[in-house]
């Protein structure tokens, strides 16, 4: 056979081959704020939550517990892209879990007077009338509830949780917890047939005081439950036979164990107690556990056990490190339990068994392929709301739903949310930027500014802000990759050590391989308002402090963005200082040749009542100076997030201390629709904007290092702008 014929044969073979399977991914399609379920006339400022979530048998109605309000909330997901509020139902106590069987909801409610005198009830609710149809006294404080797959009974974990203020939360603290098995007859709970299953004497830790946490029931009707503080797993057979095994320990390598203002995944923990919270049966022979930790442990991952207690697989530190690569690692939790794996769901989608593993502190859901149960394969990391607690899969509709419990509105943050995802054709939309594949692992977050590399198209530079106060860093970003890749991290140093007293909010190349950095000051923390020059290795070789006449009017909100035009640096001050007219902020200039300062003023839009308006970035491209102007609102309150520009010819600085000219701005782009592109809530901090060497524009949000934030970072290409 000659080469020409061989080549033609190959082409024909390829043409005749069956088409490759289309790529499928989970992507978020809707977000529902729990405040939407409050009735007209209610005080909407009250704290609300979404904790444990379940779904009706037809997959069309969600029910979640809201303990701050003492209600369960209902959501119509007939159209999952447009969930509709169905209102709240008062439970007369603190609901802990709700499940639906037929046209009834069964809600466990904590009515305890104290830890020492626990009590609780199971409330039955007719979903059509929204009326209570029955109540069973549970004899203690309930936590998790599970429904048997055939609908014949409920299993309820009666935790009788300890008082963490007593003896540092150490066990034992009586009364002991137990398990309730409750038959369902004719759609109602048969209170008279309630069975109390004793769990004392099983665990190696405080055997006299079991504290059941989470329950799951398999197709055979067997119950599995965690005794979290006791670090024990219990199995209850159909005939009532009880078996158990310790959850054991995990050895962790390559983690961060110090709350020190830096990300360093070089530590280890040996023999870390798993202390699992959530668990789920995988078939009838295995259980998966979410190793959150409570009392003395927390193994930062999840485990698959055989029913004899042997470990089939453990994630070790791999999941936490994958989370760190997408910028969701909560550094402020390093000393404690890291990402805290809270719960796990198991379901089969399109013939593929999957696990959905929830990280409470990182606010993500990890999606695993369980085809090989001894070697689960991480498929995706989904962004969730703040502090996801519950998760439910709806495989018949290709849907996944999370309940996210944190309501941060009192501090200006987002409300609690329920988030809906769908499995469909196409690539994963998240993450939008990652350091996956870096070795050693590059931890990152709180990206507070962007700049284009002047020579290499598609290469950008970013900095992190004072969330990582002990490790200010310059990041190189390959924006040509999908998702964008952080390929290098350059520490900013002073005299060979990580530079301190910085809050980097601006970066621009100096044209000679180094950078100029803008640092936002904070007098209360002794952080100066200043400019810094660093070489290509991040070493500070020049510091330019603000002059006295400028500092006379200083406030907390300083520099946000920096650009170099010839021998002059231009910087934006985020908000009004004491010497600024209301609604105007300074654009500062510093002449590198004669070391003189000057300024003009920029007119801000008027913010909504209770909000403030400011600048978050400054960059120069062609004949324009470009800005991010935004308010501090988040979620549904996000009103103004926009790109603006000022003609470069208008930047004629006047001396400080006198009258400053006011420039004329042009609003170029409303960013709110783009901040909704992944169907989450609107982030408040659009912080970085830059043009690359080819004139393509890019934007990035600041995730605050996942502190009182979902950790979600949006990085996207805007393209060419006229």
């Amino acid at each position: 056979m000659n080469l020409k014929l061989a080549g033609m044969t190959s082409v024909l073979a390829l043409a005749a081959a069956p088409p490759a399977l289309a790529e499928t991914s989970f992507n978020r399609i809707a977000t529902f704020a729990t405040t939407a379920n409050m009735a007209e006339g209610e005080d909407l400022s009250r704290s609300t939550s979404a904790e444990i979530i379940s779904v009706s048998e037809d997959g069309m109605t969600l029910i979640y517990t809201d303990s701050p309000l003492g209600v369960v909330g209902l959501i119509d997901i007939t159209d999952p892209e447009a969930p509709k509020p169905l209102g709240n139902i008062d439970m007369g106590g603190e609901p802990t879990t709700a499940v639906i069987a037929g046209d009834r909801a069964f809600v466990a409610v904590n009515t305890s007077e104290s830890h020492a005198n626990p009590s609780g009830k199971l409330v039955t609710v007719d979903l059509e009338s929204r009326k209570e149809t029955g109540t069973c006294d549970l004899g203690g404080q309930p936590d998790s509830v599970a429904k048997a797959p055939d609908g014949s009974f409920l299993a309820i974990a009666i935790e009788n949780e300890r008082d963490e203020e007593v003896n540092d939360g150490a066990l034992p603290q009586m009364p002991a917890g137990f398990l309730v098995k409750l038959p369902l007859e004719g759609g109602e709970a048969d209170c008279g047939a309630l069975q109390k299953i004793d769990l004392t004497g099983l665990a190696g830790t405080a055997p006299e005081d079991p504290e059941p946490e989470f329950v799951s029931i398999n197709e055979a009707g067997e119950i599995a439950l965690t005794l979290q503080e006791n670090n024990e797993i219990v199995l209850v057979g159909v005939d009532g036979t009880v078996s158990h095994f310790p959850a054991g320990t995990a050895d962790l390598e390559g983690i961060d164990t110090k709350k020190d203002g830096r990300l360093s995944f070089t530590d280890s923990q040996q023999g870390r107690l798993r202390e699992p919270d959530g668990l789920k049966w995988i078939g009838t022979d295995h259980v998966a556990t979410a190793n959150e930790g409570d009392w003395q442990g927390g193994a930062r991952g999840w485990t698959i056990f055989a029913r004899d207690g042997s470990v089939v697989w453990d994630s070790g530190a791999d999941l936490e490190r994958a989370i760190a690569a997408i910028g969701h690692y909560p550094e402020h939790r390093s000393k404690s339990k890291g990402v805290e794996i809270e719960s796990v769901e198991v379901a089969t989608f399109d013939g593929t068994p999957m696990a959905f593993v929830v990280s409470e502190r990182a606010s993500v859901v990890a999606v695993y392929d369980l085809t090989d149960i001894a070697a689960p394969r991480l498929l995706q990391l989904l962004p969730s709301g703040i502090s996801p607690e519950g998760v439910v899969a709806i495989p018949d509709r290709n849907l996944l739903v999370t309940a996210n419990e944190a309501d941060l509105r009192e501090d200006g943050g987002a409300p609690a949310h329920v988030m809906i995802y769908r499995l469909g054709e196409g690539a994963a939309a998240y993450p939008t930027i990652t350091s996956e594949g870096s070795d050693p692992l590059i931890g990152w977050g709180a990206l507070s500014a962007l700049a284009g590399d002047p020579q290499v198209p598609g290469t950008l530079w970013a900095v992190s802000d004072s969330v990582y106060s002990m490790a200010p860093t310059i990041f190189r970003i390959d924006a040509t990759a999908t998702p964008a890749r952080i390929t290098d991290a350059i520490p900013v140093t002073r005299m060979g050590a990580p530079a301190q007293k910085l809050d980097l909010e601006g970066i621009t190349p100096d044209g000679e391989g180094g950078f100029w950095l803008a640092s936002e000051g904070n007098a209360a923390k002794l952080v100066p308002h200043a400019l810094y020059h660093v070489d290509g290795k991040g070493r500070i070789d020049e510091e330019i402090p603000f002059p006295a006449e400028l500092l006379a009017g200083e406030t907390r909100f300083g520099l946000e963005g920096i650009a170099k035009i010839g021998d002059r640096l231009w910087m934006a001050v985020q908000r009004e200082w004491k010497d600024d007219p209301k609604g105007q902020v300074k654009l500062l200039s510093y002449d590198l040749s004669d070391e003189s300062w000057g300024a003009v003023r920029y007119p801000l839009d008027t913010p909504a009542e209770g909000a403030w308006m400011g600048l978050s970035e400054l960059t120069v491209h062609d004949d324009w100076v470009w800005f991010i102007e935004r308010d501090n609102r988040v979620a549904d309150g996000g009103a103004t997030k926009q790109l603006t520009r000022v003609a470069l010819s208008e930047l004629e600085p006047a001396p400080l201390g006198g009258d400053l000219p006011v420039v004329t701005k042009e609003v170029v782009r409303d960013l709110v629709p783009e901040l909704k592109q992944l169907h989450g809530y609107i982030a408040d901090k659009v912080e970085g904007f830059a043009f690359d060497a080819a004139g393509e524009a890019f934007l990035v949000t600041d995730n605050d290092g996942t502190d009182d934030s979902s950790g979600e970072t949006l990085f996207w290409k805007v393209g060419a702008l006229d």
Side-chain angles (χ1 to χ4, degrees):
M1 181 184 294
N2 63 47
L3 291 177
K4 184 176 180 179
L5 181 57
M8 181 60 70
T9 302
S10 298
V11 170
L12 291 173
L14 287 172
L21 293 176
E23 180 181 11
T24 60
S25 306
F26 283 93
N27 283 306
R28 186 170 50 202
I29 59 172
T31 293
F32 178 91
T34 53
T35 51
N37 259 335
M38 291 187 180
E40 185 177 352
E42 283 193 67
D43 179 2
L44 297 183
S45 67
R46 291 180 302 156
S47 181
T48 177
S49 187
E51 295 155 308
I52 304 302
I53 194 161
S54 303
V55 66
S56 59
E57 292 173 349
D58 65 2
M60 298 297 177
T61 303
L62 298 172
I63 186 168
Y64 63 86
T65 55
D66 183 340
S67 62
L69 289 183
V71 303
V72 291
L74 295 167
I75 307 173
D76 178 356
I77 57 167
T78 302
D79 179 355
E81 295 184 16
K84 297 178 180 178
L86 295 177
N88 293 325
I89 304 174
D90 186 85
M91 287 291 105
E94 177 193 1
T96 60
T97 305
V99 297
I100 296 176
D103 59 0
R104 297 289 193 267
F106 298 93
V107 187
V109 181
N110 177 18
T111 58
S112 302
E113 295 180 359
S114 66
H115 290 92
N117 187 26
S119 63
K121 60 184 179 179
L122 183 82
V123 177
T124 304
V125 177
D126 182 296
L127 291 175
E128 183 175 352
S129 68
R130 309 293 177 85
K131 301 296 184 182
E132 180 180 316
T133 62
T135 302
C136 297
D137 182 359
L138 295 175
Q141 172 252 314
D143 195 334
S144 169
V145 180
K147 180 187 69 173
D150 64 1
S152 62
F153 71 92
L154 303 177
I156 307 168
I158 306 299
E159 183 178 12
N160 292 341
E161 65 182 351
R162 73 196 193 284
D163 186 342
E164 296 184 9
E165 301 301 318
V166 174
N167 195 25
D168 293 328
L171 299 180
Q173 289 187 30
M174 310 308 285
F178 52 91
L179 174 68
V180 162
K181 186 174 181 180
L182 183 61
L184 298 178
E185 296 288 346
E188 302 289 346
D190 186 353
C191 301
L194 182 151
Q195 179 184 2
K196 177 180 175 181
I197 299 173
D198 181 29
L199 302 172
T200 60
L202 303 180
T205 299
E208 70 273 39
D209 184 20
E211 293 203 8
E213 190 78 21
F214 207 94
V215 290
S216 177
I217 307 172
N218 66 20
E219 293 287 343
E222 299 170 302
I223 303 168
L225 69 154
T226 55
L227 309 183
Q228 184 172 19
E229 289 81 358
N230 310 90
N231 200 37
E232 197 81 8
I233 296 170
V234 177
L235 306 180
V236 180
V238 176
D239 61 357
T241 302
V242 175
S243 60
H244 63 99
F245 54 86
T249 64
D251 296 333
L252 306 176
E253 301 288 344
I255 61 174
D256 189 347
T257 62
K258 302 178 186 69
K259 180 184 176 182
D260 57 3
R262 73 183 77 203
L263 295 171
S264 177
F265 300 97
T266 58
D267 301 328
S268 63
Q269 289 179 334
Q270 304 300 312
R272 186 73 171 173
L273 293 173
R274 290 191 173 96
E275 292 185 345
D277 184 343
L279 92 164
K280 197 77 173 183
W281 281 98
I282 305 174
T284 57
D285 293 323
H286 300 89
V287 291
T289 63
N291 304 325
E292 178 198 26
D294 194 310
W295 183 25
Q296 296 177 323
R300 305 186 181 214
W302 67 292
T303 306
I304 297 175
F305 291 94
R307 61 185 304 133
D308 64 1
S310 58
V311 174
V312 175
W313 180 85
D314 188 277
S315 67
D318 289 352
L319 175 53
E320 183 168 87
R321 288 173 62 84
I323 289 170
I326 66 167
H328 278 251
Y329 181 77
E331 194 280 329
H332 59 288
R333 300 294 299 175
S334 291
K335 188 178 179 180
S336 183
K337 295 174 285 185
V339 297
E340 287 191 31
I341 304 303
E342 175 78 17
S343 55
V344 60
E345 169 72 308
V346 174
T348 298
F349 283 77
D350 291 338
T352 300
M354 293 182 176
F356 304 91
V357 182
V358 174
S359 168
E360 179 180 8
R361 297 294 180 172
S363 296
V364 298
V365 181
V367 182
Y368 283 85
D369 181 339
L370 296 179
T371 300
D372 182 351
I373 202 166
R377 185 165 61 93
L378 179 60
L379 301 177
Q380 283 184 257
L381 293 172
L382 304 176
S384 196
I386 303 172
S387 298
E389 180 85 5
V391 57
V392 62
I394 314 173
D396 289 345
R397 301 188 66 198
N398 279 340
L399 299 177
L400 179 75
V401 183
T402 64
N404 305 275
E405 65 179 347
D407 183 345
L408 302 179
R409 289 175 297 149
E410 184 177 353
D411 298 320
H417 284 89
V418 170
M419 294 191 172
I420 304 173
Y421 311 80
R422 181 162 55 205
L423 178 65
E425 290 189 4
Y430 198 84
T432 58
I433 182 169
T434 180
S435 66
E436 182 184 3
S438 58
D439 187 13
L441 173 62
I442 297 174
W444 63 276
L447 300 181
S448 56
L450 279 182
D453 186 279
Q455 303 296 327
V456 184
T459 294
L460 302 173
W461 300 93
V463 289
S464 55
D465 64 23
S466 60
V467 167
Y468 309 110
S469 58
M470 295 299 293
T473 303
I474 299 169
F475 299 99
R476 185 200 303 266
I477 299 171
D478 176 5
T480 67
T482 303
R485 296 276 171 168
I486 294 176
T487 60
D488 195 11
I490 304 171
V492 177
T493 59
R494 183 187 284 117
M495 299 179 63
Q500 298 182 34
K501 302 297 182 183
L502 299 180
D503 184 4
L504 300 181
E505 298 285 352
I507 179 172
T508 189
D510 66 0
E512 299 176 355
F515 302 91
W516 284 100
L517 308 176
S519 181
E520 182 177 33
N522 187 338
K525 297 182 179 180
L526 302 180
V527 177
H529 298 277
L531 309 177
Y532 297 89
H533 183 266
V534 299
D535 64 16
K537 294 185 178 180
R539 296 174 295 204
I540 294 176
D541 53 29
E542 185 176 358
E543 178 178 349
I544 303 174
F546 276 19
E549 62 265 39
L550 186 57
L551 290 174
E554 75 170 302
T555 68
R556 162 69 184 85
F557 297 90
L559 297 182
E560 294 273 342
I562 185 172
K564 185 173 182 287
I565 307 172
D567 287 334
R568 190 180 296 275
L569 297 173
W570 280 96
M571 295 76 63
V573 177
Q574 184 173 57
R575 292 176 61 186
E576 301 98 329
W577 280 21
K578 297 172 186 176
D579 57 346
D580 291 321
K582 185 176 182 180
Q584 295 181 11
V585 294
K586 294 185 189 73
L587 305 180
L588 296 173
S589 86
Y590 180 77
D591 192 314
L592 294 168
S593 60
D594 63 13
E595 301 181 355
S596 63
W597 288 85
V600 298
R601 283 199 170 99
Y602 173 102
L604 297 168
D605 280 10
T606 301
E609 184 178 355
W612 56 255
M613 193 73 66
L615 298 179
S616 284
E617 180 68 289
L618 176 156
T619 192
V620 174
H621 180 64
D622 291 339
D623 297 327
W624 300 92
V625 184
W626 298 75
F627 303 89
I628 294 174
E629 183 178 346
R630 67 171 180 87
D631 60 16
N632 64 325
R633 293 297 182 92
V634 66
D636 293 338
T640 301
K641 319 288 180 186
Q642 61 191 19
L643 277 180
T644 67
R645 67 183 183 182
V646 172
L648 189 58
S649 59
E650 286 203 49
L651 265 64
E652 291 292 337
L656 299 175
D659 291 336
L660 301 178
V662 179
V663 299
T664 302
K665 76 178 183 186
E666 174 190 350
V667 176
V668 178
R669 195 181 190 97
D670 178 9
L671 299 178
V672 169
E674 290 165 78
L675 290 169
K676 295 180 177 179
Q677 61 186 306
L678 298 187
H679 305 287
Y681 64 79
I682 300 169
D684 62 329
K685 291 188 175 181
V686 193
E687 292 272 289
F689 175 67
F691 291 89
D692 73 355
E696 301 289 324
F698 297 84
L699 281 154
V700 71
T701 60
D702 178 348
N703 74 355
D704 279 333
T706 318
D707 191 359
D708 287 341
S709 162
S710 70
E712 196 164 331
T713 296
L714 298 183
F715 177 94
W716 74 100
K717 180 179 178 179
V718 178
L721 293 172
D722 294 330

